[in-house]
Amino acid sequence: MMSISVSVKRKLETFELDVHFSSHEKIVGLLGASGAGKSMLLKTIAGIFEPESGKIIVDDIVYFDSSEGISLPSRQRKAGVVFQHYALFPHMTVAENIAFSLEDKNSKENVLKVDQLIREFHLELFKDHKPSKLSGGQQQRVALARALAMEPKVLLLDEPFSALDIHLKSQLIKDMKNALSDYSGHVVYVTHNMEEAFQLCGHVVVLDKGQMIASGLKEEVFLKPSNMQTARIIGMKNLAQAKLVGPNLLMVPKWGIMLQYNDDVIATEGFVGIHAYRIKLHHKCPSENVFECTLVDMVINPNVHTLYLNFSGEPDSVDDYHIQMDVPDEDAWEIENKKTVKICIPEEYIYYS
Amino acid sequence: MKKIIIILLIAIFMIGCESTAGQNQVEITVSAAASLKDALEEIALEYETENEDVKIILNMAGSGTLAMQIEQGAEVDLFFSAADSWMNSLDEKGLIITETISPFLSNRMVFIVPETSNYDETNFMALFEDESAQIVVGEPSSVPAGKYAMEWLDTLGAMNTITKQLVYGKDVKEVLSWVETGNAYAGIVYATDALASSKVKVTVTSVEGDHSEISYPAAVVKSSRHPDEAKAFLDYMMDSDMFENYGFTKSKREE
Amino acid sequence: MDLSPLWISLKVALVSTIITFTLGVLSAWFMTNYRGKGSALIDGLFTLPMVLPPTLVGFILLYIIGVNGPVGKLLGLWDIKIVFTWIAAVLASVVVSFPLMYRTSRGAFDQINMDLIHAARTLGSTEKEVFLKIVLPLAWPGVAAATALAFSRALGEFGATLMVAGSIPGKTETIPIAIYFATQGSDYKQAAVWVVIVFAISLISMMFINRYQNKTVK
């Protein structure tokens, strides 16, 4: 069975990278904030940098094993990389870039292969152009085609969408999904965007300052984050330490409130997490966890108003808020000019771990 | 780091200032041919000791370069050339106080070989029969020693055979050093140069008639700011025996 | 007029530029990748001949390749003497122009985005392929400029050359040496002719390099 096993230690400027994971899933995501060490991890898998110690094994081939003194150079790893800024060779055309890894570029099969990739990625119009003439999205496709031309064992994608416009993204993510489904090897996908990670990956590894704080199938990691850092990285905005003080009753000291809660988790201590879009105006769930909060600040976004609320009546400043709440546009009139907001927190959306 | 640089600059500036702030000292700049170096240095020191209000500054180079400098207006008080031609050329251009021209020194040319050479003294002419034996001399059109060397070779009748063996240098010191290091088989330099070196041996010395008279004319430059002091030093040099200690000969010409 | 200095200068400058180019480019690439212990020292050593007065360089070279010097003695075993030959002139030119080639090429290599090199490696290129297919073509404008500088320097080299090769008309008398002796002997007309010739050569080579440089950059 296909498997990828990575265990890496390497000192970086401000922290140490210390990660190990293994998975049979086809697409493994490395999720974390910028600077968490994800790119470096990717590059050690590709053979661009060497870990100080560890083991990297892809489909039973040992790429790196410090205890045995094995360290395959990049060119022997068959690891295709799509760099964050694509790293297309500026002095070669699109076709030449794609064909770069092929030994005999003029052989019948290779010419066919390159043509096929060009068609697949809709690059026919640009095949004789130099990369500088292409848009970001087109360059990304060339980079991907170039890596795939090598028929790599593992495809390493370093924040492939970070350099592109947001409005193109959803279409691009769909295209990426299609391209990846045709590919039969492993994929390691680095991103700081949890939506990409959730949509595309099977196994997710969450990194924070070089340390691995979560690793598992995406459903587990996203829907059941096991610690506060992971919860934060996957987008839960409202997090705080909590104590189980009675049957289905949680006390949250930081917010100074008690929450009714209806799951079976029995841990006496842990943290609560509530997504900003799960908190409602009180009339939507009038019998569940109703609170009158002070409106400390409000940010108006294109489709949603984000309210910054404080559970007590005396906030010190505009930054002294406890929770964030997203109110959809159509309900915004209800909070117009109000100093306090009455909210409710549905029990089913309180996450406690 | 900045501090260190500033301190260094101040130090350099002060040292520089000191050397030119010689309380009421008269500075005489003497532009002299390189071959006069050692003798001149000693005699200048002697003169300064006896005349504390005078400081001699020596500017040594090839005579051609020195003449060019004077032509371009360099502030020089005394010109001490290794050949008549440059002195005459400057004089024609009106840059010299003609009455002060004094060709009081002369020299001989010598054939030298490296100290360790196995050169056969009894067979001098064999030198010119071995094509691979390189003979170094000064470049004749620009270095006086080279000119005299070529004249001598001509007198010896070697000119036909010798051209393939000749290597030209830009000054006598260079020629001497080539022989000293054994890179050349033999060379022709001034007798004074050979005397000063312990790494060469003299095989033949030239005699009168072998080449045109070697003359070291000295004169006061017209633009000099201290012509009297310059002339005083010139007279001092003419009376001194110092140069003979270094192998120079007093010239027979009286002017 | 005896045109031999022209042919000698061209011969010496061209040969030395070829050697300097090869040595300079390879050492610049080596040093770009080498982050080991003595790298600052090696870099300093490579740059040294550029800051030393040419006469001093000539002096040191003469000591090394002279008949009694370490290399000279070695060559002497095969009866080879390079002092006073055009080979010595080439050597002098290589030594003084190497730092220019090295430093300028290194500057060009340092400008290359490392990701491009990493990409080439992951795509299966050997180090030699990376250098020839990616690094050199991308650094070409800088490397071409460096070559032009090295050629000019070699063409104009005087002090060190004279010391190790002497001036032998027809064999080692280069144009700069001819100019020097002409001016020293007050033959300014002759000197001027040579100056014009050198100027013309430099101009032509600059134009040539410019055209070639621009061609490969698109």
Side-chain angles (χ1 to χ4, degrees):
Chain A
M1 178 141 175
M2 288 190 356
S3 75
I4 175 169
S5 164
V6 173
S7 161
V8 156
K9 250 194 190 173
R10 185 182 151 118
K11 264 209 193 82
L12 299 180
E13 232 158 275
T14 47
F15 55 79
E16 196 189 19
L17 183 64
D18 187 357
V19 176
H20 52 101
F21 66 87
S22 71
S23 173
H24 296 297
E25 291 290 314
K26 173 171 162 178
I27 305 182
V28 174
L30 298 179
L31 177 64
S34 299
K38 330 183 282 294
S39 284
M40 176 55 82
L41 182 56
L42 197 74
K43 288 179 179 168
T44 60
I45 300 174
I48 292 169
F49 292 119
E50 234 181 52
E52 274 148 27
S53 66
K55 248 195 220 180
I56 301 175
I57 305 178
V58 175
D59 279 349
D60 298 329
I61 298 185
V62 180
Y63 278 3
F64 180 82
D65 188 341
S66 56
S67 60
E68 301 273 336
I70 299 176
S71 177
L72 283 187
S74 290
R75 65 174 181 277
Q76 290 177 9
R77 294 195 186 194
K78 283 277 213 183
V81 181
V82 175
F83 291 86
Q84 203 167 350
H85 298 285
Y86 319 126
L88 296 181
F89 304 129
H91 57 303
M92 296 185 190
T93 64
V94 163
E96 285 167 348
N97 262 281
I98 296 176
F100 188 78
S101 61
L102 303 171
E103 277 269 359
D104 182 6
K105 303 188 206 272
N106 293 317
S107 78
K108 241 192 182 158
E109 20 166 322
N110 283 338
V111 169
L112 226 66
K113 189 194 241 190
V114 172
D115 276 341
Q116 193 181 7
L117 281 166
I118 290 178
R119 257 179 291 128
E120 237 179 81
F121 285 92
H122 312 299
L123 296 165
E124 296 98 323
L125 292 175
F126 313 107
K127 68 185 235 255
D128 292 320
H129 287 192
K130 295 262 168 66
S132 56
K133 300 226 165 93
L134 272 54
S135 74
Q138 290 155 356
Q139 289 186 15
Q140 192 222 51
R141 302 202 304 264
V142 177
L144 194 49
R146 181 176 72 177
L148 290 172
M150 192 169 76
E151 288 178 45
K153 274 193 135 17
V154 54
L155 190 60
L156 304 167
L157 305 169
D158 193 352
E159 307 222 33
F161 297 113
S162 69
L164 299 176
D165 296 332
I166 301 182
H167 69 271
L168 294 173
K169 252 206 187 159
S170 54
Q171 180 59 43
L172 291 174
I173 292 183
K174 270 208 199 119
D175 291 339
M176 174 70 79
K177 220 175 179 174
N178 288 333
L180 292 180
S181 65
D182 286 335
Y183 166 67
S184 61
H186 288 282
V187 178
V188 178
Y189 189 103
V190 164
T191 181
H192 61 261
N193 180 303
M194 44 157 192
E195 273 131 17
E196 286 169 39
F198 193 79
Q199 286 185 46
L200 296 168
C201 309
H203 181 117
V204 175
V205 175
V206 182
L207 291 179
D208 186 28
K209 293 215 180 39
Q211 303 296 310
M212 191 182 72
I213 55 175
S215 169
L217 295 175
K218 74 167 164 212
E219 292 78 12
E220 287 168 33
V221 174
F222 272 84
L223 303 175
K224 304 195 180 116
S226 55
N227 53 53
M228 271 212 319
Q229 291 153 293
T230 308
R232 190 179 309 115
I233 290 172
I234 58 159
M236 242 179 216
K237 298 256 191 286
N238 301 308
L239 298 165
Q241 311 273 29
K243 271 201 181 91
L244 194 62
V245 291
N248 293 349
L249 194 62
L250 291 168
M251 178 175 82
V252 187
K254 188 166 164 205
W255 297 339
I257 59 167
M258 306 271 254
L259 287 172
Q260 281 282 89
Y261 158 74
N262 74 352
D263 203 344
D264 304 323
V265 177
I266 41 171
T268 46
E269 278 186 3
F271 71 94
V272 279
I274 311 164
H275 279 296
Y277 52 87
R278 294 296 188 200
I279 303 178
K280 303 282 172 217
L281 293 169
H282 75 108
H283 55 83
K284 305 232 172 153
C285 46
S287 57
E288 299 177 77
N289 294 315
V290 177
F291 298 96
E292 178 107 30
C293 302
T294 321
L295 180 58
V296 177
D297 199 4
M298 178 162 75
V299 172
I300 303 178
N301 294 311
N303 299 316
V304 83
H305 283 43
T306 302
L307 308 183
Y308 294 87
L309 304 168
N310 187 310
F311 284 108
S312 79
E314 300 129 15
D316 297 324
S317 67
V318 119
D319 294 322
D320 186 16
Y321 66 90
H322 290 138
I323 55 171
Q324 267 180 265
M325 170 183 176
D326 286 340
V327 175
D329 261 359
E330 59 262 21
D331 298 336
W333 62 271
E334 293 189 49
I335 45 151
E336 203 103 339
N337 296 323
K338 292 264 179 70
K339 290 218 173 92
T340 62
V341 182
K342 212 164 177 188
I343 61 161
C344 66
I345 306 178
E347 287 172 32
E348 61 180 319
Y349 294 125
I350 298 176
Y351 177 78
Y352 172 64
S353 175
Chain B
M1 189 61 199
K2 256 196 198 165
K3 272 197 193 158
I4 299 176
I5 294 179
I6 293 178
I7 293 176
L8 268 175
L9 284 173
I10 294 179
I12 292 172
F13 185 64
M14 292 193 66
I15 295 172
C17 276
E18 249 215 66
S19 63
T20 52
Q23 313 99 331
N24 289 330
Q25 265 192 332
V26 172
E27 281 180 2
I28 310 266
T29 304
V30 179
S31 278
S35 46
L36 296 160
K37 183 167 187 279
D38 299 325
L40 249 188
E41 278 176 350
E42 201 180 328
I43 204 173
L45 209 58
E46 211 182 70
Y47 189 73
E48 279 177 343
T49 328
E50 291 177 26
N51 297 276
E52 280 185 13
D53 52 339
V54 177
K55 186 163 167 57
I56 311 279
I57 298 181
L58 296 176
N59 172 29
M60 324 226 69
S63 307
T65 310
L66 297 171
M68 256 202 289
Q69 288 173 347
I70 293 173
E71 269 179 58
Q72 300 302 326
E75 282 185 16
V76 174
D77 300 293
L78 218 53
F79 179 42
F80 208 156
S81 166
D84 287 324
S85 56
W86 283 288
M87 185 63 81
N88 294 339
S89 137
L90 288 182
D91 191 31
E92 274 164 38
K93 296 194 173 105
L95 298 167
I96 302 287
I97 302 181
T98 320
E99 312 84 71
T100 62
I101 299 183
S102 316
F104 67 100
L105 281 186
S106 189
N107 208 336
R108 293 254 150 77
M109 302 304 295
V110 293
F111 257 95
I112 50 171
V113 293
E115 239 263 305
T116 53
S117 165
N118 54 9
Y119 162 74
D120 181 5
E121 288 219 8
T122 56
N123 191 0
F124 177 62
M125 291 315 276
L127 192 64
F128 307 119
E129 282 151 32
D130 180 3
E131 265 194 22
S132 67
Q134 285 167 319
I135 300 178
V136 293
V137 299
E139 202 273 336
S141 65
S142 58
V143 182
K147 184 181 106 187
Y148 299 130
M150 297 301 277
E151 287 173 356
W152 192 11
L153 287 169
D154 198 21
T155 311
L156 291 170
M159 285 311 277
N160 286 338
T161 49
I162 206 169
T163 35
K164 293 218 179 92
Q165 295 166 257
L166 288 176
V167 179
Y168 298 135
K170 74 178 195 299
D171 53 59
V172 206
K173 296 293 179 201
E174 188 169 60
V175 171
L176 184 65
S177 134
W178 277 334
V179 179
E180 284 177 335
T181 55
N183 285 302
Y185 186 76
I188 305 178
V189 295
Y190 289 121
T192 48
D193 298 309
L195 199 65
S197 167
S198 56
K199 302 199 189 125
V200 298
K201 26 186 209 207
V202 174
T203 57
V204 185
T205 310
S206 70
V207 295
E208 219 182 302
D210 279 338
H211 50 76
S212 41
E213 173 137 12
I214 298 177
S215 170
Y216 291 86
V220 178
V221 177
K222 207 172 243 174
S223 62
S224 165
R225 296 214 200 132
H226 312 288
D228 299 321
E229 289 85 345
K231 183 74 170 54
F233 182 50
L234 178 50
D235 293 334
Y236 181 84
M237 287 196 289
M238 291 204 294
D239 286 334
S240 161
D241 290 330
M242 183 67 71
F243 290 99
E244 275 151 312
N245 293 344
Y246 282 84
F248 291 94
T249 57
K250 278 275 165 72
S251 172
K252 297 219 175 94
R253 283 155 62 190
E254 300 263 348
E255 239 171 274
Chain C
M1 186 173 113
D2 174 19
L3 282 177
S4 66
L6 174 60
W7 311 126
I8 295 171
S9 271
L10 283 178
K11 179 168 82 176
V12 169
L14 283 170
V15 173
S16 95
T17 303
I18 293 173
I19 298 175
T20 302
F21 173 81
T22 315
L23 289 178
V25 155
L26 290 175
S27 28
W29 180 235
F30 173 74
M31 289 304 286
T32 305
N33 289 317
Y34 178 71
R35 306 276 164 196
K37 286 196 184 144
S39 62
L41 186 64
I42 299 177
D43 189 72
L45 226 66
F46 282 168
T47 314
L48 195 61
M50 192 161 82
V51 300
L52 293 177
T55 359
L56 183 55
V57 173
F59 183 74
I60 296 172
L61 257 184
L62 185 62
Y63 174 74
I64 297 173
I65 62 170
V67 290
N68 288 320
V71 174
K73 273 202 184 130
L74 190 63
L75 292 170
L77 295 176
W78 286 281
D79 227 4
I80 302 177
K81 180 179 170 193
I82 46 177
V83 178
F84 300 147
T85 64
W86 70 280
I87 306 280
V90 168
L91 209 59
S93 289
V94 168
V95 170
V96 299
S97 58
F98 175 81
L100 284 167
M101 187 81 215
Y102 166 73
R103 284 226 86 98
T104 315
S105 297
R106 223 184 129 176
F109 293 154
D110 282 341
Q111 301 266 7
I112 298 178
N113 181 1
M114 275 314 277
D115 273 348
L116 294 173
I117 295 168
H118 295 325
R121 288 186 182 142
T122 56
L123 289 165
S125 297
T126 59
E127 290 305 302
K128 183 169 137 190
E129 284 169 344
V130 170
F131 183 67
L132 292 174
K133 289 192 201 171
I134 309 290
V135 175
L136 213 48
L138 287 176
W140 186 247
V143 169
T147 312
L149 280 175
F151 179 73
S152 306
R153 184 67 186 86
L155 201 60
E157 179 22 54
F158 169 72
T161 306
L162 190 49
M163 267 237 180
V164 296
S167 174
I168 307 176
K171 290 232 181 86
T172 65
E173 187 188 11
T174 59
I175 298 180
I177 293 175
I179 293 177
Y180 176 77
F181 285 135
T183 49
Q184 285 293 79
S186 304
D187 189 354
Y188 299 114
K189 210 174 92 182
Q190 175 77 292
V193 172
W194 282 123
V195 166
V196 168
I197 292 179
V198 167
F199 187 69
I201 299 175
S202 301
L203 209 61
I204 293 172
S205 55
M206 285 303 142
M207 281 169 28
F208 177 72
I209 293 277
N210 273 339
R211 260 191 63 199
Y212 195 44
Q213 188 173 343
N214 286 330
K215 253 199 188 157
T216 48
V217 167
K218 275 201 232 133

